[in-house]
Amino acid sequence: MINTDICIIGAGPVGLFAIFEAGLLKMRCHLIDALPQVGGQLSEIYPQKPIYDIPGYPEVKAQELVDNLMEQAKPFKPTFSLGERVDHLDKQEDGSYIVTTSDKTHVHAQVIIIAGGLGCFEPRKPALENLETFEGKGITYMVKNPETFRDKKVVLAGGGDSALDWTIFLANVAEKVTLVHRNETFRGAPDSAAKVFDLANQGKIDLILSANLKTVGGNGTLDSVTLLSKAKEEIKIDADYLIPLFGLSPKLGPIADWGLSIDKNAIEVDTRDYSTGVERIYAIGDINTYPGKLKLILCGFHEAAIMMHSAFKYVYPDQKLSFKYTTVNGVNTF
């Protein structure tokens, strides 16, 4: 039995920052994640993806952000169960919980924090004939190492932030980058969309709008992608790689059976403290939902800070949360 104050389900960026916020309040954390390493989607899907909306970082690579969050959490000595899925949650008579994982690890905690991002996830795949034939042979749904695409012909498909960000980044890596989107406008950040249009106007990328993927071809490995325009015209493109970036299909897994209020695979929370409808269970990051919700890492950081001050009462029920700052050898402490 692992005994801790707080059990965090999900070791992505928001879960890692929650360690720091808990540590400031003298609360210990144990994290569980189904992935074999910390970092969530950032480490698993796009470790080299540039991120532009973290305060204080004009640009930071996804894995660099994860490494920095781990360094920030290090003084508070968190513990981890990685490569394990949460299977059961059992409430105890005193209100605390025992979490059991797929590897039969048992964690006793006063508070449960669900920071599982999109939960268990898989990429949304285009409905193309012979798609599986070329998966791993030219078709990929993530960019783990951009150097893989060095001097290659790359076709990206999608209209969200990932498609825009990778188009911008790979424009300086690949021999040729083509971005295909079914609409005339993008769902991603306007600034990123403007950069993509600028690259197209400068002739640094090919931008094809109002078109859908139709077929893929090749002899053993991918060598072409055929599009169908809104005017029903076929456009054939030479390609070494196709990267469909249509988002992830979330699956909550066992969490869906915990009596939480679920709306479209997201957990509804009270924005005063990001609590769920079940006492001592909180949800932060992309896995929660509320009016005006923005699925941004920095919003998850904010939620973690607010939530920890609420969780304090369950870990230290006889103490009132207050701070007294003192100066020791010129250093402010509390």
Side-chain angles (χ1 to χ4, degrees), residues 173-234:
V173 176
E175 174 188 334
K176 180 181 179 182
V177 171
T178 303
L179 176 60
V180 180
H181 183 37
R182 63 183 179 179
N183 295 321
E184 291 286 340
T185 58
F186 292 98
R187 301 186 312 277
D191 182 67
S192 298
K195 290 178 181 177
V196 165
F197 281 114
D198 286 344
L199 288 170
N201 290 333
Q202 296 167 23
K204 294 183 177 179
I205 67 165
D206 287 345
L207 179 60
I208 302 176
L209 301 176
S210 298
N212 288 294
L213 300 175
K214 183 181 181 184
T215 61
V216 290
N219 185 15
T221 59
L222 183 76
D223 63 23
S224 67
V225 175
T226 301
L227 313 177
L228 184 65
S229 72
K230 187 179 289 186
K232 304 302 180 182
E233 297 175 345
E234 291 190 0

Side-chain angles (χ1 to χ4, degrees), residues 23-325:
L24 292 179
L25 301 178
K26 309 299 183 185
M27 297 188 292
R28 299 167 298 140
C29 295
H30 183 83
L31 286 79
I32 302 172
D33 200 298
L35 296 175
Q37 74 283 320
V38 302
Q41 297 176 51
L42 298 192
S43 296
E44 179 69 9
I45 300 179
Y46 36 69
Q48 297 302 313
K49 181 180 183 292
I51 301 173
Y52 302 106
D53 58 359
I54 302 299
Y57 289 92
E59 177 183 327
V60 61
K61 296 290 179 58
Q63 188 59 51
E64 182 185 356
L65 177 61
V66 170
D67 293 342
N68 288 343
L69 288 166
M70 282 293 288
E71 185 66 25
Q72 188 178 36
K74 189 176 180 180
F76 303 111
K77 298 180 172 60
T79 53
F80 298 87
S81 294
L82 300 176
E84 300 182 37
R85 183 188 67 250
V86 172
D87 279 350
H88 300 288
L89 181 69
D90 298 303
K91 191 168 186 176
Q92 306 302 294
E93 290 185 2
D94 64 354
S96 63
Y97 290 93
I98 292 179
V99 176
T100 303
T101 74
S102 53
D103 286 3
K104 306 306 178 185
T105 299
H106 301 285
V107 181
H108 180 248
Q110 297 299 320
V111 174
I112 305 297
I113 298 171
I114 305 171
L118 296 176
C120 300
F121 52 86
E122 59 185 32
R124 292 191 178 97
K125 300 180 180 182
L128 297 178
E129 188 178 349
N130 297 329
L131 183 74
E132 293 81 4
T133 302
F134 296 103
E135 288 180 333
K137 300 176 182 177
I139 295 180
T140 183
Y141 304 99
M142 61 188 72
V143 180
K144 286 193 172 183
N145 181 8
E147 285 301 312
T148 301
F149 308 99
R150 174 72 64 183
D151 300 327
K152 302 295 184 181
K153 299 180 182 70
V154 180
V155 177
L156 299 101
D161 286 315
S162 288
L164 294 172
D165 291 345
W166 278 123
T167 297
I168 295 166
F169 189 87
L170 292 176
N172 296 317
V173 176
E175 174 188 334
K176 180 181 179 182
V177 171
T178 303
L179 176 60
V180 180
H181 183 37
R182 63 183 179 179
N183 295 321
E184 291 286 340
T185 58
F186 292 98
R187 301 186 312 277
D191 182 67
S192 298
K195 290 178 181 177
V196 165
F197 281 114
D198 286 344
L199 288 170
N201 290 333
Q202 296 167 23
K204 294 183 177 179
I205 67 165
D206 287 345
L207 179 60
I208 302 176
L209 301 176
S210 298
N212 288 294
L213 300 175
K214 183 181 181 184
T215 61
V216 290
N219 185 15
T221 59
L222 183 76
D223 63 23
S224 67
V225 175
T226 301
L227 313 177
L228 184 65
S229 72
K230 187 179 289 186
K232 304 302 180 182
E233 297 175 345
E234 291 190 0
I235 306 168
K236 188 173 182 179
I237 305 171
D238 291 338
D240 299 306
Y241 288 96
L242 168 63
I243 312 174
L245 295 169
F246 298 147
L248 301 170
S249 178
K251 295 182 179 179
L252 289 178
I255 292 174
D257 301 322
W258 290 1
L260 306 170
S261 179
I262 307 294
D263 179 26
K264 298 177 182 177
N265 281 314
I267 301 169
E268 294 182 325
V269 294
D270 184 336
T271 52
R272 290 175 295 182
D273 60 2
Y274 303 99
S275 58
T276 67
V278 179
E279 189 179 26
R280 300 193 187 213
I281 300 181
Y282 298 81
I284 55 176
D286 284 358
I287 204 163
N288 75 15
T289 186
Y290 50 83
K293 168 72 177 183
L294 291 176
K295 292 192 174 184
L296 300 175
I297 294 173
L298 64 90
C299 292
F301 290 169
H302 158 81
E303 294 164 9
I306 298 293
M307 176 274 307
M308 283 300 176
H309 284 72
S310 174
F312 182 88
K313 63 179 176 285
Y314 297 118
V315 177
Y316 297 108
D318 299 326
Q319 296 185 30
K320 184 178 180 180
L321 185 59
S322 61
F323 300 96
K324 181 180 180 181
Y325 288 88

